[in-house]
Amino acid sequence: MEFKYAIPTKIYFGKNCISKNADIFAQLGKRALIVTGKQSAKACGALDDIIKVMEENKISYIIFDEIENNPSVETVEKAGKIAAQKKVDFIIGIGGGSPIDASKAIAVLAANPEVIAIDLFKNEFKKVLPIIGIPTTAGTGSEVTSYSVIVRKDLQTKVSFGTDKTYPQYAFLDARYTATLGKNTTINTAVDAFTHALEGYLANRSTVISECLSLEAIRTFGKSMRKLARFELDDNDRENLMYTSLLGGIIIAQTGVTIAHGMGYCYTFFKDIPHGKANGLIMREYLKLNYDVAKAKIDNVLNALGCESIDEFADILKDMLGEAPKLTLEEIQLYTELTQIQKGSMSNTPHEINADVIYKLWSEI
């Protein structure tokens, strides 16, 4: 047995965890950049909670609320310049994965004004401002990973970067912030969290530690899965989903993701399908592809979910997410080519992945 495991992020989970630990913010400096999207941080109350803590601790702040659903190189570069010019001491990302991912890029650019955004993906930076991650969705787990996934318009896909320095220093998870989410966002982000746990469990880089966490996350998701499909969630279910999301982030920080994520980026870039939904639409064929080489693990997953077959589980996902879009032959060829950019997710998948396998998957979804 051989493995390594580390997570530098300090995690605070529970109701009112921000106000209960307000002193932490003052330890990071006197000026912060708050990174959000246009609406969600305000609507759920998280932004108000942060502003109250800022004012109580006499910390000045700037709000940058221009993060897109899929943050672009151009947007993080703009925010990074503002953070550098205003000489902020730390970055607070509030929202789904997009604002928190963007916060990591902004924290690098603010600490290294000589670095241009397109060079983030070289992972050659030495300094990063402290980051606080506050999720308002139960999906990406970005608050406990080093990864920052950014849209590269020049490549027509999403590309990630990250080092040990880009982990958030603190993560605050309060499931109350997810209560204002609509049905589609709640389902899409929850499916994203599940796919992190599943892919981490099947990944070639999985370890005995990550596998324990994966099964815990999958079981927890399973407890609320059918209620999620009906969108009949209570506070306990929302905590279950937030916990699943947290575990999913911890898992992929150790294991990385597999080809399902690598493929899903095409759906998101070209079809504007939310990331979690994109992954979920691929699950049926993804699980069937890997069943021959990971039968015992996939059977464990189905058992943890209370399902007897891949198709039973995939039908539940279909009820949640709907049908996958029909692709033309030209789209299948393009998506196959672009998926092959994701070398890490290809090599991390149990089944051998090559252009023919990817083309077949796209053809059968």
Side-chain angles (χ1 to χ4, degrees):
M1 185 185 300
E2 183 177 342
F3 65 87
K4 58 182 179 180
Y5 173 83
I7 176 170
T9 307
K10 295 180 181 178
I11 300 165
Y12 296 83
F13 188 106
K15 187 176 180 180
N16 298 316
C17 58
I18 290 174
S19 60
K20 290 177 179 177
N21 299 280
D23 59 307
I24 288 170
F25 293 79
Q27 298 170 18
L28 297 182
K30 286 297 183 182
R31 181 172 295 176
L33 181 73
I34 300 173
V35 178
T36 77
K38 287 291 184 186
Q39 300 293 335
S40 62
K42 300 184 184 87
C44 72
L47 183 59
D48 287 343
D49 286 350
I50 286 296
I51 289 173
K52 183 178 180 182
V53 166
M54 296 289 103
E55 293 175 350
E56 287 175 351
N57 285 281
K58 296 181 171 56
I59 300 170
S60 63
Y61 59 89
I62 304 152
I63 297 175
F64 184 87
D65 62 358
E66 300 177 27
I67 302 301
E68 314 98 319
N69 287 337
N70 297 288
S72 65
V73 166
E74 294 77 12
T75 299
V76 298
E77 188 158 51
K78 177 181 178 180
K81 288 178 180 177
I82 293 171
Q85 290 166 359
K86 298 296 184 179
K87 298 181 179 179
V88 303
D89 299 310
F90 61 104
I91 310 293
I92 303 173
I94 310 175
S98 295
I100 300 176
D101 279 11
S103 295
K104 298 168 190 176
I106 295 162
V108 174
L109 295 170
N112 304 273
E114 74 284 359
V115 174
I116 60 174
I118 205 71
D119 287 338
L120 289 169
F121 306 96
K122 296 178 181 177
N123 282 331
E124 294 176 349
F125 47 85
K126 303 298 182 186
K127 298 178 292 182
V128 182
L129 292 186
I131 305 159
I132 294 176
I134 302 169
T136 60
T137 65
T140 71
S142 182
E143 69 278 1
V144 289
T145 78
S146 64
Y147 306 129
S148 176
V149 182
I150 305 295
V151 169
R152 288 278 302 268
K153 295 177 182 177
D154 57 323
L155 298 178
Q156 295 185 306
T157 190
K158 297 163 78 172
V159 182
S160 65
F161 77 91
T163 73
D164 288 347
K165 293 181 172 62
T166 50
Y167 278 93
Q169 195 163 329
Y170 296 97
F172 294 89
L173 296 94
D174 188 334
R176 291 182 305 126
Y177 297 147
T178 69
T180 57
L181 296 175
K183 177 180 179 179
N184 289 340
T185 300
T186 300
I187 289 173
N188 294 341
T189 52
V191 171
D192 188 22
F194 167 78
T195 61
H196 289 164
L198 171 69
E199 291 181 58
Y201 186 51
L202 300 182
N204 291 332
R205 287 169 50 193
S206 68
T207 68
V208 291
I209 299 294
S210 68
E211 288 174 6
C212 290
L213 295 174
S214 292
L215 286 175
E216 168 70 1
I218 292 165
R219 278 192 294 266
T220 303
F221 177 79
K223 291 176 183 177
S224 297
M225 178 176 67
R226 289 165 178 81
K227 292 177 70 177
L228 176 66
R230 300 191 302 270
F231 199 54
E232 297 174 353
L233 302 174
D234 58 25
D235 291 346
N236 185 61
D237 294 310
R238 291 192 177 276
E239 279 215 330
N240 282 343
L241 297 177
M242 185 67 88
Y243 179 48
T244 300
S245 177
L246 171 66
L247 291 178
I250 294 171
I251 291 158
I252 62 168
Q254 311 299 316
T255 67
V257 293
T258 67
I259 196 61
H261 265 66
M263 293 176 67
Y265 295 151
C266 290
Y267 271 156
T268 299
F269 188 89
F270 291 104
K271 301 292 187 182
D272 200 29
I273 295 174
H275 173 63
K277 179 176 180 177
N279 296 343
L281 293 174
I282 294 164
M283 280 296 105
R284 189 190 305 267
E285 300 306 325
Y286 169 80
L287 288 169
K288 288 182 177 180
L289 172 73
N290 286 288
Y291 193 71
D292 286 346
V293 294
K295 179 180 185 299
K297 281 191 170 184
I298 293 175
D299 284 343
N300 287 342
V301 169
L302 295 172
N303 182 61
L305 293 171
C307 294
E308 294 187 0
S309 68
I310 291 172
D311 281 327
E312 180 186 348
F313 169 60
D315 285 344
I316 293 172
L317 286 183
K318 183 179 175 182
D319 288 342
M320 293 189 204
L321 305 173
E323 297 273 3
K326 299 299 181 185
L327 303 179
T328 66
L329 291 177
E330 291 78 10
E331 287 174 322
I332 291 171
Q333 185 61 48
L334 175 62
Y335 291 12
T336 298
E337 292 171 4
L338 292 175
T339 300
Q340 291 175 78
I341 294 173
Q342 311 294 338
K343 301 296 185 186
S345 66
M346 290 175 65
S347 63
N348 203 26
T349 304
H351 192 284
E352 181 180 356
I353 302 295
N354 55 40
D356 290 340
V357 171
I358 295 169
Y359 187 93
K360 187 171 185 289
L361 279 169
W362 278 122
S363 300
E364 293 179 347
I365 292 170

